[in-house]
Amino acid sequence: MKNLLTDIAGVSVGHADDAALASGVTAILFDRPAVASVDVRGGGPGTREDALLDPVSTVEAIDAITLSGGSAFGLDAGGGVQAWLAERGRGFRIRDAVIPIVTGAICFDLLNGGNKAWGRFSPYRELGYAAAAAAGSDFALGSVGAGLGATTANLKGGLGSASAATAAGVKVAALAVINAVGSVTIGDGPWFWAAPFEVDGEFGGRGMPAAFTADMHKFRIKGGPEATAVENTTLVAVVTDAMLTKAQAKRLAMIAQTGMARAIHPVHAPLDGDVVFAAATGEKPVDPLFGLTELGMVAANTVARAIARGVYHAAALPFLGALPAWKDRFG
């Protein structure tokens, strides 16, 4: 296990980003269509094909998930991933037509200091294509891909991933883009809210503070009283090798949202666009009650770990007034 989303067989991940733009795209590709659904908890989401993921909708499986910066402009990234898949004949077939099913979501990084004067068309479609072309079993964490321009209330955000398995050996992994209105760390210290779920010092091994103070629980959000509902979002993709129905994938996404609450303070605000996609590759059967509940518990813990890892591995943007990275302050 590499502690990455690609620990799930048949899944590949690729990044494409632009340092001057201070934004990018991450593509998650499935070798075979995966059953998927989504759960949206934030008040300001931006999504592609989310209605298709409703359990009552007809199409059962997807070919890719695209996560992007760029706010609504970043939704173009899904078209780039779709083009890459279409060139390879991958997608949902209707007689002679082949339509790659690409869902996705975006986060707001338009005010992070990067050059967003791109002219008539945004660069995200091309970045999406490049991310799909770069997809493989190994990928970087931190300030890369869709996490390049991400920020939190007090530190640079980023992209993280983690993986785990249930007692029966069913694997689940998460990839997170952390651009939250809240904080991933406790107060002004180095401790992560997700510390109780850390595995093998994967985000610094600092544990929890010896005691909690009122200041540690203080309300801290990005932008303070002038924060807006469109500037923040945490995006998560959870993938398992379990055999799930679309309705069960929806339940897995709902339980996995708990991981955000374990890692970000505050979370699911009107100021966020928090989204969790859940996809299943269908290799291992799971009991629909006990087994799915255990899988959801493990998924939630894995989401919390992925969020902390994204901030832990992030690097500050090279612009005046940019937020520091965790390692700049505590590393």
Side-chain angles (χ1 to χ4, degrees):
M1 299 273 279
K2 298 177 181 179
N3 207 20
L4 297 174
L5 192 74
T6 50
D7 285 332
I8 309 301
V11 179
S12 57
V13 173
H15 301 311
D17 47 53
D18 184 320
L21 182 70
S23 186
V25 174
T26 296
I28 301 166
L29 308 182
F30 300 98
D31 289 352
R32 295 180 300 167
V35 172
S37 193
V38 66
D39 185 58
V40 180
R41 299 279 175 96
T47 55
R48 171 191 166 110
E49 296 276 36
D50 60 324
L52 177 145
L53 298 174
D54 190 301
V56 302
S57 295
T58 301
V59 175
E60 287 290 324
I62 63 172
D63 297 292
I65 299 170
T66 305
L67 307 179
S68 177
S71 189
F73 296 104
L75 292 173
D76 289 347
V81 175
Q82 191 175 46
W84 188 90
L85 290 166
E87 288 176 350
R88 286 148 184 82
R90 295 171 58 181
F92 183 70
R93 293 185 176 272
I94 305 175
R95 296 197 297 274
D96 293 334
V98 180
I99 308 163
I101 306 300
V102 180
T103 189
I106 49 86
C107 64
F108 184 98
D109 57 7
L110 298 180
L111 300 177
N112 61 10
N115 179 12
K116 308 303 193 294
W118 49 62
R120 177 171 292 179
F121 298 110
S122 86
Y124 289 100
R125 184 174 66 174
E126 295 302 320
L127 286 169
Y129 186 95
S137 60
D138 291 307
F139 60 94
L141 304 182
S143 297
V144 292
L148 175 59
T151 56
T152 71
N154 57 342
L155 295 171
K156 177 70 177 68
L159 181 145
S161 192
S163 65
T166 68
V170 177
K171 292 180 182 178
V172 63
L175 183 150
V177 177
I178 306 96
N179 190 56
V181 73
S183 173
V184 176
T185 52
I186 300 171
D188 295 319
W191 315 281
F192 287 93
W193 289 105
F197 310 100
E198 185 173 13
V199 176
D200 296 332
E202 62 191 337
F203 39 89
R206 298 297 185 95
M208 302 291 279
F212 278 83
T213 65
D215 182 70
M216 291 175 180
H217 289 290
K218 188 171 67 175
F219 182 58
R220 291 176 171 85
I221 60 170
K222 188 193 304 179
E226 297 182 358
T228 73
V230 296
E231 295 185 24
N232 320 282
T233 276
T234 298
L235 310 175
V236 172
V238 169
V239 183
T240 177
D241 60 2
M243 188 183 300
L244 301 180
T245 65
K246 205 172 177 185
Q248 289 170 333
K250 172 73 172 182
R251 179 58 56 184
L252 178 61
M254 293 171 68
I255 302 173
Q257 280 273 16
T258 309
M260 286 199 197
R262 294 171 181 170
I264 304 169
H265 180 74
V267 72
H268 299 153
L271 309 165
D272 281 310
D274 299 335
V275 176
V276 172
F277 298 96
T281 61
E283 293 186 14
K284 299 172 183 175
V286 172
D287 174 81
L289 299 178
F290 177 89
L292 182 59
T293 301
E294 182 190 17
L295 183 62
M297 179 197 73
V298 176
N301 295 346
T302 306
V303 167
R305 293 165 51 213
I307 290 169
R309 291 190 83 201
V311 172
Y312 174 74
H313 284 284
L317 293 171
F319 307 121
L320 183 67
L323 283 169
W326 186 93
K327 290 185 178 179
D328 293 336
R329 293 194 60 190
F330 309 114

